[in-house]
Amino acid sequence: MESSEKVLLCKKCKAKAVIEARSDAFCEACYIRSIENKIRRQFELLRPNLVDKCSKKALVCVSGGLNSMAMLETVYYLSSYREDNYRPMFGDLIAVHLQLPTSTVEEEDMIRTVIKQKYPKCAYVYVSEHEYMSQCTYVNALGSQVREPAVSTAETEQTNFLNVSSTTSRQDLLHRMRDRVLLQLAHENHCDTLVYGDSASTLAAKTLELVAEGRGHAIPASTGVCTRPAVAPDVAILRPLREVLEQELRSYMGMKGLQFVSRELDSRLTTMFDVSKNYFLNLGEQFPSLVSTIVRTSGKLSAPQDGVCCRLCLLPMQENTHSWLNSTTVQHPTNLELSDEACKQQRDDVCYGCMVSLGGLKAPLAWPRFVAKQS
Amino acid sequence: MNEKPRNKSRLCELCNAERPVMVRPKTSQKICKNCFYRVFETEIHNVIIDNKLFHRGESIGIGASGGKDSTVLAYVMKLLNERYDYGLKLHLISVDEGIRGYRDDSLATVKRNQQQYELPMTIVSYEELYDGWTMDRIVSKIGAKNNCTYCGVFRRQALDRAALSLGIKHILTGHNADDIAETVLMNLLRGDIARLPRSTEITTMSETSPTKRSKPFKYTYEKEIVLYAHYKKLDYFSTECTYSPEAFRGTARALIKQLERLRPSSILDIIYSGEAMKLSTTVQKQLPEQKKCVRCGFISSNDVCKACTLLEGLNNGISGLGIGSNRKARRLKEKQSAENVQAGETA
């Protein structure tokens, strides 16, 4: 008698399947190979964008999470450190972990241990908040640069992001600052690539987040698979995991026994990024191709060349920010135009998203300085 | 000295004179009724002036459905036309889709608005324009699924036809900021790259169409429209359509409500992003051109416009024609031809 339960067979080797992903069934070995091939194929597609079709020095952003640890595994495999790699894509590697208000000591310990054991030749740098804030300016709610407030340095550092009124603005500014610091580090260390571990799920949520924050202009620069920032065109920013979903990475990491820090979404969604992530999680079953559709759509957008960049987030911006906002929202007692003094205070080199996030700032915010070295 | 902080929290944030009656959804300010009227109307006036929507002496058609958006639109347009002397001739245009129990009640609301505002009004119906096909008949034939596609396509062309017969070259619709933000998100989520740049334009027009459309409420929040109608005691109809299932649009709307709860300005932020998003040049070259339908002469992206295609499907009994891809339409036509041949042989 045949069993009523149907046994899934692996799509490639016809052995018993242990996982079903995107309507295909795989055994463990074939699944690992398919994910790795998908990631490495994306890396190969990036080669023509690099000088001499390889990267002499790469800065790898590691937060300890699922995406960055999976990305580190592949980057190390493609580096010249391994003897079995006949065509390395990366020369030297520097793994960087930033101390952020959201990071913990356990994360840093885990990253250090994993790199020492599994990726011994990769350099690892832990950058504390004190280090990347050693040169900083202060901005007020209007985006203007102001003098350093007369409080002690320790107090300023501890309370820096608590001055931002809402959690959404806090996370937005934190993301912009993190990207800015990483770009500065890559520039300082003469790295020609900066590798992010954003998966397709992360890029889709990030696209929605940018749209909801008024940063539609910055979508190509923030989610493109290979972008070069206008302020530092010698650094290529790579996002090679853009074809892989987060659930797929989770299965992959579990099968390979690799370590990562698991971060669950808070049940109360307090930031735009969390709302976007939760949206894709909930809809993932009804509309399975939603994530890949939005990632592909963001790939078709473009920003103007030689456009203006925001002084704070270094992303492309539109010009008419203040006049647009003043005409669409009347917030003043009289119909008269803003006074001349108020107009002068409003900067025209701060983008819409940063201006909205800075609104409601209670005290000046410390912002890291970006120094573009002359080559 | 101690009284000042207490007084500030009790007075309107804009005029500091009257007691606040509401928290403004757009900015979270506590303001009084008169200040709300003024900022609401001034913002719409700013939109009209900044975008140069009208010129003096122009005839304007207002798409009136009896709902809150079109009712407030008619009221505010009449008010601003008199206050700022735009010199416009306003005309209400209503479309009767033929949904019993829903549209006849909403049209009664539009007729009452016509009398209150003293504006001329014209009603066109699907039954007259589309060979007797009312929405009731369409739904009984094709079922509830996809019927919104028929209704939306037919209504859009019905407004164009009514405007043409009245000699009107400009139509206003009551799309508000929530609708436009929702459209931006939906086009992004569905990968509808052709519609993405067009979804945020305040005026849509082309050489092939004699009528242009504008959305004066583009930056006006839906909540504020409801509050304005409430305080002004405007008469409007608020029942939902009986035939509209809301699957995917509902998810985008729920997402927008979640984002708005976190940051009140996110609806405007989404619209700003929609205006900022540009297609890359390689994608732009692949987009279809706007041209005229060979049958009815109205605007179309193909040789035959969507309304004529849907109408042909209804008349010939090919359900699903015009919905989906062109390959599917070709297959449906071949199937229909085969059935006709068999019917001929039987006779």
Side-chain angles (χ1 to χ4, degrees), chain A residues 211 216 302 324 328 330 352, chain B residues 26 43 269 273 275-276 278 280:
Chain A
V211 169
S302 73
W324 192 94
T328 57
V330 174
Y352 181 97
Chain B
K26 206 177 207 178
E43 277 172 14
D269 299 345
S273 287
E275 291 176 2
K278 299 286 188 275
S280 55

Side-chain angles (χ1 to χ4, degrees), chain A residues 146-369:
Chain A
V146 294
R147 196 170 298 173
E148 182 171 356
V151 293
S152 70
T153 307
E155 279 181 23
T156 305
E157 282 173 13
Q158 287 167 17
T159 63
N160 193 35
F161 273 91
L162 294 181
N163 292 328
V164 187
S165 52
S166 70
T167 53
T168 291
S169 301
R170 196 177 305 155
Q171 194 196 50
D172 177 45
L173 292 170
L174 193 62
H175 282 179
R176 306 311 138 219
M177 186 192 72
R178 177 199 64 188
D179 291 344
R180 187 183 166 108
V181 169
L182 289 168
L183 187 62
Q184 173 75 71
L185 288 169
H187 194 64
E188 277 175 0
N189 289 276
H190 307 290
C191 300
D192 51 358
T193 52
L194 172 58
V195 192
Y196 280 96
D198 292 333
S199 66
S201 310
T202 305
L203 290 176
K206 190 188 276 191
T207 300
L208 263 197
E209 181 204 10
L210 291 171
V211 169
E213 286 169 352
R215 300 179 181 274
H217 229 57
I219 289 176
S222 299
T223 62
V225 66
C226 177
T227 58
R228 290 183 179 272
V231 291
D234 52 313
V235 181
I237 299 179
L238 310 181
R239 298 179 179 88
L241 302 192
R242 84 194 290 262
E243 298 277 332
V244 194
L245 299 176
E246 199 162 288
Q247 299 96 294
E248 294 173 341
L249 284 181
R250 194 176 298 271
S251 308
Y252 167 76
M253 298 287 279
M255 288 174 184
K256 290 199 78 168
L258 300 176
Q259 266 181 287
F260 63 94
V261 173
S262 188
R263 301 191 186 95
E264 299 300 328
L265 270 181
D266 201 343
S267 60
R268 292 184 307 109
L269 307 168
T270 56
T271 61
M272 300 248 176
F273 191 71
D274 289 350
V275 169
S276 306
K277 249 188 163 185
N278 188 62
Y279 178 76
F280 288 115
L281 278 177
N282 289 343
L283 280 193
E285 296 178 5
Q286 297 180 46
F287 304 97
S289 63
L290 193 60
V291 167
S292 44
T293 296
I294 196 171
V295 170
R296 207 177 310 117
T297 303
S298 66
K300 293 178 180 172
L301 304 174
S302 73
Q305 299 294 326
D306 299 328
V308 186
C309 282
C310 175
R311 184 172 48 86
L312 296 181
C313 64
L314 309 178
L315 291 168
M317 60 174 277
Q318 270 195 143
E319 308 252 11
N320 57 357
T321 306
H322 290 274
S323 56
W324 192 94
L325 195 58
N326 288 334
S327 64
T328 57
T329 308
V330 174
Q331 296 195 57
H332 303 284
T334 63
N335 289 341
L336 297 176
E337 295 295 322
L338 285 172
S339 62
D340 291 340
E341 187 177 341
C343 282
K344 286 173 187 173
Q345 289 192 50
Q346 288 187 335
R347 302 292 299 256
D348 53 12
D349 55 354
V350 175
C351 69
Y352 181 97
C354 288
M355 199 169 58
V356 174
S357 290
L358 286 175
L361 195 62
K362 300 169 206 163
L365 182 73
W367 198 252
R369 193 188 302 263

